[in-house]
Amino acid sequence: MSTPHVVVVMGVAGTGKTTIGPLLAARLGVPYAEGDDFHPQANIAKMSAGVPLDDDDRWPWLDAIGTWAHERAGLGGVVSCSALKRSYRDRLRAEAPGVVFVHLSGDRALIEDRMAHRQGHFMPTALLDSQFATLQPLQADEAGVAVDVAGSPAEITRRAVEALSGIPESAA
């Protein structure tokens, strides 16, 4: 018997993690958790002021997401988390070794345009450069797939489901 993956939908701000995450969870029949909800208020205040987070800010956030993912092991789930650096993904895997990453990636101009048109989000477009500078794409030894964010949310979700189908589910 196999069990569904616990999927971390990752990528820079504006790639659609909060849009694609719930759609992917619905397609997979598992719960979704919004990664931003795991941020302490101090992190949200910093980002809202246009100040990038440093690693000391991120560790408690990543640990909280990792704990949620660990609790979903064997049950499946989808959580959004930028997970821009390999060290951040390693931190998540330390808590939840079986997580699989879906890296939402795409053209910077498209992502910036989407960010400029979204309402009520605390991440300003001014931080996009720092996000791209920090981004370390998935490496060959990391369980995960890259999915282009061009197209509609339904198209992106379909590509993510198809890409994930090539990764064996966890053995129960």
Side-chain angles (χ1 to χ4, degrees):
M1 174 185 261
S2 63
T3 56
H5 296 296
V6 176
V7 178
V8 176
V9 178
M10 63 168 282
V12 299
T15 53
K17 296 180 297 290
T18 299
T19 299
I20 303 305
L23 294 173
L24 182 58
R27 285 280 303 270
L28 298 176
V30 296
Y32 171 73
E34 170 54 54
D36 287 342
D37 293 343
F38 293 90
H39 272 299
Q41 189 57 44
N43 286 6
I44 293 171
K46 252 182 131 167
M47 289 183 285
S48 295
V51 179
L53 300 180
D54 61 27
D55 287 351
D56 288 335
D57 297 320
R58 287 187 182 93
W59 298 137
W61 173 63
L62 291 165
D63 290 344
I65 292 171
T67 297
W68 182 90
H70 175 78
E71 291 169 354
R72 297 298 313 162
L75 303 171
V78 175
V79 62
S80 59
C81 173
S82 52
L84 298 178
K85 288 185 182 180
R86 170 71 188 245
S87 61
Y88 304 162
R89 297 187 298 271
D90 289 345
R91 185 90 172 210
L92 292 169
R93 279 190 293 269
E95 290 288 323
V99 296
V100 173
F101 295 90
V102 170
H103 178 191
L104 298 179
S105 61
D107 178 71
R108 189 194 184 289
L110 171 66
I111 294 166
E112 185 172 21
D113 182 64
R114 287 182 179 172
M115 282 183 76
H117 290 96
R118 66 184 183 178
Q119 301 291 318
H121 195 275
F122 57 78
M123 178 70 83
T125 56
L127 290 183
L128 191 54
D129 287 334
S130 73
Q131 294 257 304
F132 272 103
T134 302
L135 177 63
Q136 296 171 344
L138 289 172
Q139 298 174 16
D141 65 333
E142 293 184 274
V145 295
V147 176
D148 189 350
V149 297
S152 71
E155 292 167 331
I156 299 163
T157 302
R158 180 188 48 76
R159 286 196 297 270
V161 170
E162 289 172 1
L164 284 170
S165 71
I167 298 175
E169 292 184 345
S170 307

